[in-house]
Amino acid sequence: MTYDRQTMDAQATANVVALEPMLNGRNFNREAIDIARGKGGAGYKLYRLHRLTDDLTRVATPHSACRNGCSHCCNMAVSVTQTEAREISKFIGVKYQNVGTPMPIPEAQELYMGKPCTFLKEGKCSIYQMRPLACRVYFNMSDTPEICDVVTNPRHDIPCLNAQGVQIAQALALGTDFADIREYFPPENLDKPDSMSYNQDSQPKTAQSIS
């Protein structure tokens, strides 16, 4: 199926206009940069970026095509930093895979297009509370969720919310050691008993416990 880009852009523009009053003057991109440039270590900054993007999710979701139960975007490449992988590891109690030389992003995008994320379970994100920043700021601002179905429509452009400031803050605060989430957490590794690590340093934790 094909979709008219002008229609998608018009829908997205109308939704962004409707979103503006709900922001109450907040500039999430600028706030993210301020967090990245502020005091604290990478783990603390990630915690603050999670809280910031939680606020963004609450205001942006009603004005986007994104809804609970839609998992189209969980079938594409997801770049995460080692800091994020470490915190996900703590959250689920499973060691992450050490990534030597990560796959180039364009190659990862091609390889993982149409392939489910390791943590997609029964159509839902099983680590939603600790999901990567890349997932937290990916909003289809049109009224058409089907355009995100990369299995059926792998080459469509999606009119996404502008979250460049958050993406820049991610690199400033957490580093640029990006790899796909499937490289850090290969699906087959999560099924191995010896991949489990339940010592004191890797017990499943809540997002509030990030240090």
Side-chain angles (χ1 to χ4, degrees), residues 29-42:
N29 284 318
R30 185 174 62 237
E31 288 184 40
I33 295 292
D34 289 343
I35 289 171
R37 291 175 173 167
K39 296 180 180 180

Side-chain angles (χ1 to χ4, degrees), residues 70-82:
C70 179
S71 60
H72 292 317
C73 62
C74 302
N75 292 278
M76 59 179 70
V78 180
S79 294
V80 301
T81 63
Q82 189 172 19

Side-chain angles (χ1 to χ4, degrees), residues 10-194:
Q11 292 173 353
T13 298
N15 286 332
V16 170
V17 169
L19 170 62
E20 285 294 331
M22 313 303 346
L23 299 178
N24 294 320
R26 294 184 67 178
N27 184 321
F28 285 89
N29 284 318
R30 185 174 62 237
E31 288 184 40
I33 295 292
D34 289 343
I35 289 171
R37 291 175 173 167
K39 296 180 180 180
Y44 175 66
K45 290 178 179 180
L46 177 60
Y47 166 77
R48 293 191 62 197
L49 288 170
H50 278 182
R51 301 291 72 76
L52 179 70
T53 51
D54 284 344
D55 289 346
L56 177 60
T57 296
R58 280 189 285 270
V59 296
T61 298
H63 303 280
S64 73
C66 306
R67 294 291 183 272
N68 184 26
C70 179
S71 60
H72 292 317
C73 62
C74 302
N75 292 278
M76 59 179 70
V78 180
S79 294
V80 301
T81 63
Q82 189 172 19
T83 297
E84 291 176 280
R86 185 186 70 236
E87 298 303 336
I88 292 171
S89 177
K90 291 179 183 178
F91 185 69
I92 64 174
V94 176
K95 294 179 180 178
Y96 66 89
Q97 179 85 27
N98 288 323
V99 178
T101 301
M103 189 181 304
I105 290 178
E107 188 177 331
Q109 289 174 333
E110 186 70 25
L111 177 64
Y112 295 120
M113 181 68 71
K115 296 182 180 179
C117 173
T118 301
F119 297 105
L120 181 63
K121 306 296 181 184
E122 299 181 355
K124 293 185 178 182
C125 177
S126 61
I127 58 165
Y128 187 80
Q129 188 179 358
M130 192 60 72
R131 68 197 185 281
L133 287 169
C135 306
R136 289 168 173 269
V137 297
Y138 193 86
F139 292 96
N140 172 3
M141 297 307 294
S142 78
D143 298 328
T144 311
E146 291 81 12
I147 199 174
C148 296
D149 183 355
V150 295
V151 176
T152 305
N153 308 295
R155 302 302 174 197
H156 277 296
D157 291 329
I158 299 168
C160 292
L161 184 68
N162 178 4
Q164 289 182 341
V166 179
Q167 293 164 339
I168 292 170
Q170 179 184 24
L172 288 175
L174 311 180
T176 57
D177 49 355
F178 290 100
D180 191 83
I181 196 167
R182 300 163 188 82
E183 294 181 81
Y184 282 118
F185 299 97
E188 61 273 15
N189 280 14
L190 295 183
D191 296 328
K192 294 178 181 178
D194 61 358

